[in-house]
């Protein structure tokens, strides 16, 4: 049995008259937008992932992970076209707990299957715990917790 925790919290509008719908749209990506950007990330060399984070204030997706040769990558891409905004690299080794592209897609598909329609953030820690944040169709915030081991069954 797959264990997961799914929290549904009403999104909080910030008292300035911002609608909940607008709030979710301002801080998230649709799955089709995310797929396009992840395809770009793979073209930048990513094979393993640690973190994806939508930053609408700076109009970018931050991707942290590794190339297949072990170099650690930290890349920011423009949300609208995937253009490289910033990149840093350092020699490293791919940790066992990082997510392969297939595992990342599996985790995102599980979140989508549980009702997440707008993506905000994904992060995996060194224990293999994966947290995915986003919103459902009713603009309620969803937090999904998985474990990397669940993706390979």
């Amino acid at each position: 049995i797959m264990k997961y925790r799914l929290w549904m919290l009403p999104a909080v509008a910030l008292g300035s008259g911002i609608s909940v719908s607008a709030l979710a749209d301002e801080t998230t990506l649709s799955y089709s937008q995310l797929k396009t950007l992840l395809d770009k990330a793979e073209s930048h060399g990513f094979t393993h992932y640690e973190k994806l984070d939508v930053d609408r204030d700076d109009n970018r997706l931050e991707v942290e992970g590794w190339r297949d040769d072990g170099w650690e990558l930290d890349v920011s891409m423009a949300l609208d076209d995937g253009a490289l905004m910033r990149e840093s690299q350092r020699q490293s080794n791919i940790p066992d707990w990082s997510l392969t592209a297939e595992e990342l897609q599996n985790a995102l598909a599980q979140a989508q299957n549980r009702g997440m329609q707008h993506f905000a953030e994904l992060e995996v820690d060194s224990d293999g715990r994966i947290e995915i944040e986003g919103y459902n169709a009713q603009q309620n915030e969803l937090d999904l917790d998985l474990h990397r081991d669940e993706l390979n069954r």
Side-chain angles (χ1 to χ4, degrees):
I1 285 183
M2 188 177 302
K3 293 182 182 178
Y4 66 93
R5 184 174 60 199
L6 185 63
W7 296 349
M8 295 182 68
L9 306 169
V12 177
L14 302 174
S16 59
I18 298 173
S19 74
V20 172
S21 176
L23 186 64
D25 290 345
E26 290 297 315
T27 60
T28 63
L29 293 174
S30 71
Y31 272 82
S32 63
Q33 292 169 306
L34 181 60
K35 182 186 180 336
T36 299
L37 291 171
L38 287 176
D39 289 346
K40 294 271 188 178
E42 285 188 30
S43 74
H44 292 304
F46 282 92
T47 60
H48 290 74
Y49 297 85
E50 176 181 10
K51 183 175 184 177
L52 307 175
D53 189 14
V54 176
D55 182 347
R56 283 280 183 186
D57 291 338
D58 292 330
N59 190 42
R60 68 181 183 190
L61 175 69
E62 185 172 332
V63 182
E64 297 177 17
W66 293 265
R67 290 191 321 220
D68 61 357
D69 63 4
W71 279 74
E72 188 172 357
L73 303 174
D74 185 348
V75 167
S76 292
M77 297 182 297
L79 292 178
D80 49 357
D81 63 2
L84 195 61
M85 298 172 72
R86 182 186 58 78
E87 178 180 22
S88 66
Q89 301 180 21
R90 70 179 186 89
Q91 196 164 4
S92 181
N93 293 305
I94 300 171
D96 292 340
W97 51 263
S98 64
L99 298 178
T100 64
E102 182 179 345
E103 291 167 335
L104 176 68
Q105 292 299 332
N106 188 341
L108 292 170
Q110 287 189 38
Q112 192 172 23
N113 290 341
R114 294 191 177 105
M116 190 175 292
Q117 292 193 0
H118 297 277
F119 172 84
E121 184 176 359
L122 176 145
E123 189 165 6
V124 60
D125 68 17
S126 59
D127 293 325
R129 289 188 298 263
I130 304 163
E131 182 177 354
I132 307 172
E133 298 175 9
Y135 292 86
N136 67 12
Q138 294 75 37
Q139 306 305 325
N140 292 319
E141 185 174 349
L142 296 178
D143 289 326
L144 176 62
D145 292 316
L146 301 169
H147 195 278
R148 186 179 175 277
D149 295 342
E150 297 171 22
L151 304 176
N152 298 311
R153 290 185 184 157

